[in-house]
Amino acid sequence: MHGGTSIVITGSHVDTLGKTAVQCIFGDAEAIAGLVHGASSVQCISPASVKGAGLVQLLLRSGSSNSTTSFEYVEPAALLAVRPSSGSLIGGTLVELRGSALRRGITGCMFGSEIVKADRVHMLTSTRMQLHTPASTSTGRVVLDAWDDVLGVQRSGLDVGFLYTGEVHIEEIAPSRGPERGGTIVTV
């Protein structure tokens, strides 16, 4: 996994040894510097690792702390396809998104800058979810990305998009009548 997630570990008396005395250890990885925020919290940036849960421990200048907490590395979600890939700008088009690592933590989908939240998303499997598109203020293509409430946007880099189209308005049909047997050519 890529790492780079900013986490905050809370505890007590963290600041007693100064701002440079605290390091964070993620599992078996090398210790990395932590940034002390007040008396009760340390901010750490997770290093790259393999998928799965691991322990996080604070290392103080005088030795390691007695307590640990857990941190889970998860595979980033990626959207691979959307069907249908276009719909009305008034929204409401039922679409199915296909991807990888669409897990329980994925709580929505970004349509450009608009988030469709979990109450409107139906997870079908770990590779498929359905939702209704949000409305858009303009026609055109928007990029889709998975949304995780903890990790934020999960950009796949695969440029999966949805095309918002204008509403079709029929102004005239000619001729307006024809025989019951059909076969009349009409112009719309």
Side-chain angles (χ1 to χ4, degrees):
M1 301 296 120
H2 303 295
T5 301
S6 175
I7 67 165
V8 176
I9 301 170
T10 56
S12 57
H13 310 293
V14 174
D15 65 342
T16 59
L17 295 175
K19 293 202 178 281
T20 60
V22 179
Q23 294 184 310
C24 302
I25 303 171
F26 287 77
D28 295 332
E30 287 188 34
I32 57 172
L35 179 60
V36 176
H37 292 285
S40 62
S41 66
V42 175
Q43 179 183 10
C44 301
I45 306 296
S46 67
S49 184
V50 295
K51 181 179 166 186
L55 296 179
V56 180
Q57 187 174 24
L58 292 181
L59 180 66
L60 308 174
R61 186 178 304 161
S62 62
S64 62
S65 68
N66 293 344
S67 59
T68 60
T69 188
S70 63
F71 180 82
E72 182 178 6
Y73 285 92
V74 293
E75 181 180 350
L79 296 180
L80 305 172
V82 58
R83 295 287 178 258
S85 60
S86 64
S88 171
L89 61 88
I90 63 172
T93 302
L94 179 63
V95 296
E96 181 174 305
L97 298 167
R98 294 186 180 258
S100 62
L102 302 178
R103 62 196 176 283
R104 191 168 300 241
I106 299 301
T107 56
C109 181
M110 297 282 295
F111 277 72
S113 61
E114 180 75 24
I115 301 173
V116 177
K117 296 299 276 179
D119 61 337
R120 294 175 45 202
V121 174
H122 180 66
M123 298 300 288
L124 301 172
T125 68
S126 64
T127 61
R128 296 172 41 230
M129 64 182 178
Q130 286 182 331
L131 54 94
H132 288 92
T133 60
S136 177
T137 57
S138 62
T139 60
R141 187 175 183 280
V142 295
V143 174
L144 305 183
D145 290 300
W147 177 261
D148 182 307
D149 280 342
V150 175
L151 302 174
V153 68
Q154 302 286 287
R155 298 200 189 284
S156 63
L158 299 176
D159 198 32
V160 174
F162 184 81
L163 178 64
Y164 280 104
T165 58
E167 290 185 65
V168 175
H169 296 283
I170 298 175
E171 295 177 10
E172 185 179 351
I173 186 169
S176 60
R177 299 184 290 195
E180 287 183 15
R181 71 180 187 286
T184 303
I185 296 175
V186 296
T187 303
V188 179

